Amino acid sequence: MILRRLATSIRKQDWFAVVIETLIVVMGVFLGIQLGNWNAARVNQVVYQEALERFETEIDRNMAELERVIDDQSRSLPRVEAAIEALQACTDTEVAVDAVNDGLQATRATASIHLRVAALEDLTSDPILLAQQSSSARQRLADLAFTFDLFEAESGWSEVIPLETPAAFRRSVDIGPPMPPRESTYAGRSYQWGRSFPVMLSVPVSQACKEGEIIKNLFHWHQWQSHVTPLSIGVLDELNDIRELVEEIR
């Protein structure tokens, strides 16, 4: 209708009407574009807030996982340290035998850490979500993604390498009687395991310490696993800082 009136005004050379009707057309197009932009911005902001909410949940779960690992390491590392010290003392006492056997048992497993990164990957790769972020927020999230990559590599080596030379294969180690089924946590989930068989000394401590194989196994395990706690604490501190940033944004 507006365009028809505009064409009629041009034929009649009614330039005042032409200007008014042209302005009406331009303003209508402009307002339509603006309304579309405002609506898109509102939708994008909702999407961004939902992404931040998912990220907060992910942060909480990762922090719980890291706290679990730190707690587990606070028990397993001293067990292996006590076994190493008992072998260094090289005395045949019941306490020394129990310490070495307990340390051998501790080295049958390593810390398994699997952090969740889906929400972080969305925030650092989705163009719509990136457009909602300040430059400083984008940099902080990118730094966290780099920290996660580094942590995954380091913790992965610490998990796998100590198990490549199991103490059970050493000549001074034997397999003990079966233990009842047990429950343990792996990758944030609880599992019920069947019966297992412990490893234990098959010779006196004084002989095992002179052979030197077991203490090297224990040292190898401890050397790699001792990295896990400081790395986990570092990532935990970073997640605490990021959570504060997310709370400020929201």
Side-chain angles (χ1 to χ4, degrees):
M1 184 67 70
I2 291 289
L3 294 177
R4 185 181 303 169
R5 288 205 305 269
L6 179 60
T8 301
S9 297
I10 291 174
R11 283 196 300 270
K12 294 180 177 179
Q13 295 185 351
D14 186 352
W15 303 119
F16 179 77
V18 168
V19 171
I20 295 300
E21 289 167 359
T22 300
L23 286 174
I24 292 172
V25 171
V26 171
M27 287 299 297
V29 172
F30 175 76
L31 289 175
I33 293 173
Q34 284 298 103
L35 287 173
N37 289 340
W38 290 334
N39 186 58
R42 184 183 61 81
V43 171
N44 289 345
Q45 185 61 29
V46 170
V47 170
Y48 184 43
Q49 291 299 319
E50 291 173 348
L52 290 174
E53 184 177 347
R54 292 194 301 272
F55 185 45
E56 280 188 307
T57 301
E58 189 171 88
I59 288 173
D60 290 340
R61 298 187 71 177
N62 283 335
M63 291 181 71
E65 173 72 358
L66 290 167
E67 288 167 353
R68 177 194 64 79
V69 169
I70 292 168
D71 183 59
D72 287 347
Q73 292 298 91
S74 72
R75 292 191 296 271
S76 60
L77 286 171
R79 293 168 64 190
V80 176
E81 290 164 3
I84 292 173
E85 291 168 359
L87 286 166
Q88 287 174 329
C90 208
T91 57
D92 290 316
T93 65
E94 185 178 345
V95 172
V97 173
D98 289 344
V100 173
N101 286 340
D102 188 51
L104 287 171
Q105 196 62 23
T107 62
R108 297 186 64 188
T110 53
S112 174
I113 314 169
H114 300 278
L115 300 181
R116 293 165 172 80
V117 297
L120 177 60
E121 288 179 349
D122 287 344
L123 287 168
T124 55
S125 62
D126 189 304
I128 292 175
L129 301 180
L130 286 168
Q132 308 296 313
Q133 301 164 21
S134 66
S135 58
S136 60
R138 282 196 297 272
Q139 186 60 55
R140 289 286 301 280
L141 293 171
D143 289 345
L144 179 64
F146 175 79
T147 299
F148 273 21
D149 288 342
L150 181 63
F151 180 77
E152 181 182 10
E154 294 286 348
S155 63
W157 294 331
S158 296
E159 178 183 359
V160 174
I161 292 177
L163 301 178
E164 293 176 350
T165 53
F169 293 163
R170 299 307 179 188
R171 58 185 174 180
S172 299
V173 175
D174 204 352
I175 307 302
M179 298 186 298
R182 61 190 175 86
E183 183 177 317
S184 65
T185 301
Y186 179 79
R189 293 182 178 273
S190 294
Y191 293 89
Q192 187 71 38
W193 306 101
R195 294 196 310 168
S196 60
F197 296 82
V199 291
M200 55 192 301
L201 277 175
S202 61
V203 300
V205 173
S206 58
Q207 180 179 336
C209 70
K210 291 173 183 176
E211 291 174 355
E213 290 183 343
I214 296 177
I215 196 170
K216 290 176 182 177
N217 258 95
L218 294 167
F219 167 77
H220 182 65
W221 184 95
H222 186 275
Q223 182 184 34
W224 280 100
Q225 286 293 284
S226 62
H227 299 163
V228 173
T229 296
L231 288 171
S232 298
I233 292 173
V235 176
L236 197 58
D237 290 343
E238 181 68 16
L239 287 174
N240 259 319
D241 293 342
I242 288 292
R243 184 163 61 178
E244 291 178 3
L245 172 66
V246 172
E247 289 172 354
E248 290 176 5
I249 294 173
R250 297 194 68 192

